[in-house]
Amino acid sequence: MTFTPNTANSWQIGYQAALNRVRSQLTHAPENFPIRLAKKTSNLFRDRAATQANGLDVSSFSSVFEVDPVNHTAEVGGMTTYEDLVAATLPYGLMPLCVPQLRTITLGGAVTGLGIESASFRNGTPHESVLEMDILTGTGDVITVSSHENDPHRDLFFTFPNSYGSLGYALRLKIELEPTKPFVHITHLRFESATALTVAIKELSASAIFNESPIHFLDGTVFSPTEQYLTVGTMVSALPAGKNTSDYTGMSIYYRSIQSLAEDYLTIHDYLWRWDTDWFWCSRAFGAQHRIVRSLWPKSRLRSDVYWKIIAINRKLKCAEKLDTLKRKPPREPIVQDIEIPVDRLPQFLDFFHSRIGIEPIWLCPLQQRDPGVRWPLYEFDPDRLYVNVGFWSTVPLTNGERPEQGVKNREIEHEVTKMDGRKSLYSTAFYNKDEFWSIYGGLDYEQIKKKYDPQGRFLGLYEKVVEQQ
Ligand SMILES: Cc1cc2nc3c(=O)[nH]c(=O)nc-3n(C[C@H](O)[C@H](O)[C@H](O)COP(=O)(O)OP(=O)(O)OC[C@H]3O[C@@H](n4cnc5c(N)ncnc54)[C@H](O)[C@@H]3O)c2cc1C
């Protein structure tokens, strides 16, 4: 079923009917199998066990129900992709406060799994601009939760981020939007040391001003210990005379432009999806950055969800592993992670990373909690501190007979991040033991909320999902 945006709440009738259907699906699902979302896309890197599960059909919750251009809010189905969400809001000159880079990340997925992007230094992460949500709980109820102090379910509102669907599924979210301008002027600033880069991240994030213009977006790319960039973005209403926008959806590659251009202009649409075309730089693993291959690759297929499909086939057939064995190459450990550390630790973390892991490029994104007065128990930051997200997505060769499934390098990263008072995002593999995991990810709060909203354990627990990969 699809709902037509902006037809004076007409969506609510269809929405109520869809709620009844999904509640009934959950109530009638056999209790001996876990519940899962049956949806077409995913941006979860870890493998799921091939166990039998009850797949909930949530396709009725995958569109934008309403955009309110006066109050700058939107009512959105929980399984709506950011691609569709942005397409619905941009015509009003509005966008979500944090738009994750991959087109098929859904609003519900980003809220429960903590999305991040270059507006995060001023707007925090997607859950921080949610006004209210309808959540399907393990009891088959759909409850509306908000941060309002009289809301009896505000405990679930605050525990939901980083719960990865283990406390319930967000079916409708009312979110804040912010005004956009048609173009983004970007400037790439080069730094030859991580210390200089860190000083600049602190200054630019605190002032939110660059060359007397407001900074709307800030992220960074590290190509080597002596070649690292901060990209400052400012929304502008018009292009200066003689300037044109660049296009990185065809032969030109965005991340390469960072090294060769001091400044650039993109449409706001192309800015938001600048990383998706090449999945940051990861498309090179599929040959999509080779000039001849790229000239033959349909432009419409230069997208992260296409690369996901290639990865799925590779995982199934183990092509890369078999090729390595044939060539007598050592096995490789996948390291696909995002971590957050306090900004002052960045040089130390990058030193460790260059010497012990050696993946390049690396993505950086400063972030700060939007409202210092609230607490998000499953992913707690020091609300007064600036953090930096560090993203790295590749594989590394193993030595000494180590096997990828041992996660030797991933464990080393986990250890280092914890030592630096940081946090690791949970969309990929994790190796923590139970005690360590719960000491980092709000164990006491989680246990109480899990018992209250999913007393029969219809949804897999967070640890089982994330570490045991059930
Ligand atoms: C290589 C890679 C790079 C990434 N880079 C970024 C990045 O740059 N920026 C960024 O923001 N994120 C990034 N992510 C992480 C991504 O945002 C999270 O994995 C997010 O949870 C994916 O959302 P999805 O909608 O695709 O959900 P899925 O992948 O389908 O599901 C993720 C989890 O969320 C749960 N879930 C999904 N929808 C809901 C819902 N409506 N209610 C409750 N639970 C739900 C699922 O049960 C599952 O446990 C990256 C991930 C990968 C693998």
Side-chain angles (χ1 to χ4, degrees), residues 383-451:
D384 299 315
R385 218 168 179 186
L386 180 69
Y387 288 75
V388 179
N389 177 97
V390 186
F392 30 92
W393 315 289
S394 191
T395 59
V396 292
L398 293 171
T399 48
N400 306 327
E402 291 157 348
R403 303 289 317 153
E405 58 277 13
Q406 292 172 304
V408 177
K409 295 284 181 188
N410 276 289
R411 285 173 199 270
E412 204 174 327
I413 295 167
E414 277 181 6
H415 179 70
E416 204 64 21
V417 170
T418 305
K419 222 170 70 186
M420 292 187 190
D421 210 8
R423 298 268 179 288
K424 184 170 112 160
S425 301
L426 296 177
Y427 68 76
S428 185
T429 48
F431 297 87
Y432 302 105
N433 67 42
K434 255 190 187 165
D435 288 346
E436 194 182 4
F437 181 86
W438 288 122
S439 71
I440 301 171
Y441 298 103
L444 288 178
D445 294 88
Y446 182 81
E447 204 181 325
Q448 283 175 16
I449 303 294
K450 180 79 175 160
K451 274 192 196 138

Side-chain angles (χ1 to χ4, degrees), residues 158-176:
F158 286 108
T159 322
F160 190 77
N162 213 36
S163 66
Y164 279 87
S166 67
L167 296 175
Y169 293 121
L171 303 178
R172 176 192 64 94
L173 301 95
K174 183 173 181 184
I175 57 165
E176 291 175 64

Side-chain angles (χ1 to χ4, degrees), residues 109-168:
V111 167
T112 198
L114 300 182
I116 182 164
E117 228 290 283
S118 57
S120 290
F121 75 100
R122 57 187 178 90
N123 287 340
T125 43
H127 60 267
E128 295 181 79
S129 42
V130 173
L131 298 169
E132 67 175 33
M133 293 181 267
D134 287 348
I135 297 183
L136 174 69
T137 67
T139 54
D141 296 305
V142 176
I143 53 179
T144 304
V145 302
S146 72
S147 62
H148 197 278
E149 56 189 28
N150 297 327
D151 186 333
H153 303 301
R154 73 195 293 271
D155 52 358
L156 182 56
F157 181 85
F158 286 108
T159 322
F160 190 77
N162 213 36
S163 66
Y164 279 87
S166 67
L167 296 175

Side-chain angles (χ1 to χ4, degrees), residues 35-37 39-46 48 58 61 77-82 98-102 104-117 120 125-126 133-136 160 163-173 275 279-280 282 308 311 315 336-338 363 365 389 391-394 425-428 462 465-466:
I35 306 287
R36 290 234 161 95
L37 292 177
K39 70 197 219 355
K40 286 187 200 141
T41 57
S42 172
N43 289 279
L44 210 54
F45 187 76
R46 56 178 175 271
R48 287 174 178 156
V58 284
F61 307 98
M79 321 301 155
T80 309
T81 63
Y82 271 91
C98 173
V99 179
Q101 299 89 339
L102 309 181
T104 61
I105 291 178
T106 63
L107 179 60
V111 167
T112 198
L114 300 182
I116 182 164
E117 228 290 283
S120 290
T125 43
M133 293 181 267
D134 287 348
I135 297 183
L136 174 69
F160 190 77
S163 66
Y164 279 87
S166 67
L167 296 175
Y169 293 121
L171 303 178
R172 176 192 64 94
L173 301 95
W275 291 120
W279 206 5
F280 291 86
C282 301
W308 269 122
I311 291 224
R315 277 181 167 170
V336 174
Q337 302 287 354
D338 277 68
W363 184 64
C365 184
N389 177 97
F392 30 92
W393 315 289
S394 191
S425 301
L426 296 177
Y427 68 76
S428 185
L462 183 61
K465 272 187 136 173
V466 169

